[in-house]
Amino acid sequence: MPLLNSVINWINFKRNYQIQLYREHPNDIQKETLLNLLRRAKDTTWGKKFKYGEIRAIETFQQNVPLQTYDDIKPWVERLREGEPDLLWPGDVKWFAKSSGTTSDKSKFIPVTKEALEDCHLRGPKDVFAIYIKNYPETKVLWGKTLTLGGSHKINNFSNNSYYGDLSAILIENVPFWTDFIRIPPAEIALIEEFEEKMEQIIDTSLDQNVTSLAGVPSWFLVLLKRILEKTGKNNILEVWPNLEVFTHGGVNFEPYREQYKKLIPSEKMHYMETYNASEGFFAIQDDPTCQAMLLMLDYGVYYEFIPMSEYGTENPRVLTLEQVELNENYALVISTNAGLWRYIIGDTIQFTSKNPYRLKITGRTKHFINAFGEEVIVDNAENALQKACQKTGAIISEYTAGPVFMGDNQKGAHQWIIEFEIEPDDKNKFAQVLDESLKELNSDYEAKRHKDLTLEMLHLVVAPKGTFYKWMKNRGKVGGQNKIPRLSNDRKYLDDLMKLLEK
């Protein structure tokens, strides 16, 4: 076992050395990445339109190429889907990741080129293992299997030339054959569309396996793990898989789920490793176990820019390069990639916690906030305030969403929180009070609006029965995989939908 790890460490030595260069030459690596992207794409239809062959400097790139949303690139994507080559990136695009985010009911189809697959989406998981083995040299993780819980959309045809599905399904179709020896479930089960059927088949085929690691979205994995205990009658997951040692997670903030995982997997030796991967690319990995922030991966064929959220949505916002960012400021992430996405606003907001090396945390979505009264509450505020309320009342949260209560004839403005608890607080009024006070501490705009209840009154807490959010997502056809529960909304669309469900 030590011999295998030594061989793997030797193979990973070069890669870990390259990652170390992120600390010493981050801006050089990013500039080289951009120039490589421009050179590769200069003869495409897009590259010719924006004169990529003439661009030698980052400033020229920013002046020449406008910021893009999905609506801006949608006509290009539709042409790509029909098989038209050399549009945004050299060659044709065979794969499209279907993204069903919470911000829109319409699906987005994100191009996934051969280069993006090889240099970004598949390189990320390799680096996860390289970093993990470096951090834990005595690990036995590769002596067992990784249980993955991916998306629910299998591969479908657009035409004879192109296919679409969840990113996880695309990766399953493109991973090397040898990964079948270290990953479960087999592809035919992983690609089952109906989540509950897939869950049962995963359980039936995995209980007798030596599972040493898990990889997926925390919220949906929680459903699976609880179902395993229900079906086996075991007290915790270690009674099923005693050698389990790491959960590589992403997609949603892990903090609301951390306490539940500690109960399900009661071991001080269990490790949790966050990743930032999306349909558009693999961006960051938690490289330091003592720090929850993630290392920005600088050489995956992705060039990063950042819009200060204070200017987001204005006509000409400042767009910063990596070397211009400040710590603890909220930015909208902009990417240019080897998938042919150019100055594309991905919809996530991030903050940097360190610049040597560049580490970040995800703070929310550009459309997921509450600002109905000028309070500008973001997901990061919500997560931190909820954590404090749980600590002070002994509660554990399963799921939640929040939004505004609009002013009426006899109604002041407020925020309504619908929360499903794994363990309810010892005092619900105290929970609401601590949550409210914590939001004031974390957000001066919220504090100002709450001052003497002039604009906003005390938040309204609605406790939902267990299983409510799962039932709601199932009713919406959004169970499993990459579907995420919307945390904050600036209108009452989700709240009213949930309240109708609760009133039945």
Side-chain angles (χ1 to χ4, degrees):
M1 219 170 282
L3 178 61
L4 175 64
N5 285 348
S6 297
V7 171
I8 293 164
N9 273 325
W10 178 76
I11 293 168
N12 286 336
F13 177 80
K14 181 182 176 185
R15 184 59 192 144
N16 281 317
Y17 173 73
Q18 290 170 336
I19 292 171
Q20 176 60 26
L21 293 178
Y22 290 4
R23 186 185 292 272
E24 297 162 25
H25 306 288
N27 302 314
D28 292 339
I29 294 170
Q30 275 287 277
K31 184 177 180 181
E32 184 183 340
T33 295
L34 176 61
L35 294 177
N36 282 338
L37 290 172
L38 295 172
R39 186 170 64 250
R40 291 292 305 276
K42 66 182 174 63
D43 294 324
T44 62
T45 307
W46 181 279
K48 290 173 182 174
K49 179 179 180 180
F50 294 106
K51 300 179 180 177
Y52 277 13
E54 299 173 17
I55 297 176
R56 301 288 181 271
I58 292 166
E59 295 76 16
T60 315
F61 173 67
Q62 292 180 323
Q63 288 162 11
N64 282 20
V65 185
L67 294 167
Q68 305 291 311
T69 64
Y70 185 75
D71 286 340
D72 296 321
I73 67 163
K74 188 176 177 182
W76 295 79
V77 171
E78 287 174 350
R79 288 165 65 186
L80 286 172
R81 281 164 45 176
E82 292 304 316
E84 191 173 337
D86 302 320
L87 280 177
L88 299 173
W89 190 253
D92 55 2
V93 180
K94 184 178 179 182
W95 302 100
F96 293 84
K98 184 180 181 184
S99 174
S100 56
T102 49
T103 55
S104 172
D105 291 329
K106 296 176 183 176
S107 295
K108 298 176 182 177
F109 296 97
I110 306 298
V112 182
T113 62
K114 292 188 286 286
E115 289 81 2
L117 267 172
E118 192 61 40
D119 299 336
C120 187
H121 290 294
L122 294 176
R123 191 173 191 176
K126 292 176 191 172
D127 281 351
V128 166
F129 277 109
I131 290 168
Y132 182 77
I133 293 166
K134 180 188 173 191
N135 288 337
Y136 303 102
E138 301 304 313
T139 177
K140 299 175 184 177
V141 69
L142 293 179
W143 285 82
K145 296 197 174 183
T146 299
L147 173 59
T148 60
L149 184 60
S152 54
H153 291 284
K154 57 187 177 188
I155 301 302
N156 294 284
N157 283 59
F158 276 132
S159 64
N160 291 331
N161 301 314
S162 62
Y163 309 87
Y164 71 91
D166 280 349
L167 178 66
S168 54
I170 292 171
L171 295 181
I172 286 168
E173 295 284 347
N174 286 278
V175 292
F177 74 91
W178 52 262
T179 58
D180 288 339
F181 299 117
I182 60 170
R183 189 199 69 226
I184 54 170
E188 60 270 18
I189 294 175
L191 294 176
I192 292 172
E193 294 204 40
E194 211 286 306
F195 181 72
E196 289 174 346
E197 180 191 345
K198 172 160 64 179
M199 190 165 61
E200 294 304 315
Q201 290 210 33
I202 286 175
I203 294 170
D204 290 343
T205 56
S206 66
L207 294 183
D208 61 346
Q209 299 290 316
N210 178 28
V211 174
T212 52
S213 64
L214 310 175
V217 179
S219 49
W220 298 117
F221 242 111
L222 210 51
V223 176
L224 174 66
L225 297 181
K226 287 180 178 179
R227 178 68 183 132
I228 286 172
L229 294 186
E230 188 182 309
K231 199 162 182 177
T232 61
K234 303 292 187 184
N235 294 312
N236 64 64
I237 294 300
L238 294 176
E239 292 180 8
V240 181
W241 297 312
N243 298 319
L244 184 63
E245 62 171 274
V246 60
F247 178 24
T248 306
H249 57 84
V252 298
N253 189 333
F254 188 61
E255 286 313 304
Y257 305 100
R258 191 177 293 277
E259 290 304 314
Q260 291 190 71
Y261 274 90
K262 284 183 181 177
K263 281 179 61 185
L264 288 170
I265 310 168
S267 169
E268 293 299 317
K269 295 179 180 178
M270 182 66 187
H271 306 295
Y272 297 93
M273 194 172 175
E274 187 170 3
T275 61
Y276 180 10
N277 59 327
S279 298
E280 295 85 353
F282 201 117
F283 306 127
I285 299 169
Q286 184 182 355
D287 67 316
D288 181 350
T290 66
C291 168
Q292 288 183 21
M294 292 175 282
L295 179 72
L296 186 64
M297 306 308 286
L298 301 178
D299 59 355
Y300 282 14
V302 181
Y303 180 73
Y304 300 99
E305 296 174 89
F306 310 90
I307 304 172
M309 280 306 288
S310 57
E311 300 184 31
Y312 182 80
T314 61
E315 193 171 342
N316 290 300
R318 285 182 302 140
V319 186
L320 309 181
T321 62
L322 191 62
E323 61 186 320
Q324 293 172 317
V325 299
E326 300 294 338
L327 299 184
N328 305 314
E329 291 292 325
N330 219 26
Y331 296 110
L333 184 62
V334 180
I335 57 171
S336 297
T337 80
N338 49 12
L341 299 173
W342 298 105
R343 304 201 79 205
Y344 181 80
I345 301 169
I346 188 174
D348 291 333
T349 61
I350 60 99
Q351 284 182 8
F352 283 96
T353 62
S354 160
K355 295 208 281 186
N356 183 23
Y358 283 94
R359 291 197 182 101
L360 58 81
K361 62 178 182 176
I362 303 166
T363 54
R365 299 280 294 171
T366 54
K367 294 185 180 180
H368 283 201
F369 53 81
I370 311 176
N371 194 30
F373 311 97
E375 65 275 46
E376 296 190 41
V377 172
I378 64 173
V379 173
D380 192 53
N381 298 153
E383 304 281 8
N384 286 319
L386 285 168
Q387 197 172 0
K388 289 184 181 180
C390 285
Q391 286 169 352
K392 291 194 175 180
T393 61
I396 295 178
I397 290 173
S398 292
E399 300 292 355
Y400 77 91
T401 193
V405 176
F406 292 107
M407 296 172 181
D409 292 340
N410 300 304
Q411 172 65 61
K412 287 186 177 181
H415 287 183
Q416 184 177 47
W417 292 73
I418 301 178
I419 302 179
E420 182 182 323
F421 290 97
E422 177 69 16
I423 297 177
E424 290 195 7
D426 46 32
D427 183 334
K428 292 173 191 174
N429 290 331
K430 182 183 176 185
F431 181 93
Q433 192 174 2
V434 175
L435 177 58
D436 188 62
E437 290 299 324
S438 299
L439 284 168
K440 290 179 191 175
E441 291 170 14
L442 291 161
N443 185 310
S444 58
D445 290 318
Y446 180 79
E447 182 181 35
K449 300 299 181 291
R450 283 283 291 114
H451 183 64
K452 294 185 178 179
D453 291 0
L454 289 177
T455 305
L456 292 177
E457 66 182 15
M458 176 70 179
L459 62 85
H460 301 183
L461 174 62
V462 177
V463 177
K466 287 185 179 181
T468 297
F469 278 84
Y470 184 84
K471 186 177 179 183
W472 179 57
M473 293 292 277
K474 189 175 179 181
N475 289 348
R476 297 168 68 222
K478 288 184 174 288
V479 169
Q482 294 171 314
N483 297 302
K484 302 168 191 174
I485 288 167
R487 295 308 191 195
L488 303 181
S489 181
N490 211 29
D491 57 36
R492 290 196 54 83
K493 176 184 172 185
Y494 302 123
L495 291 173
D496 288 343
D497 211 20
L498 270 162
M499 290 302 291
K500 283 178 192 170
L501 186 64
L502 291 171
E503 287 163 9
K504 285 182 181 177

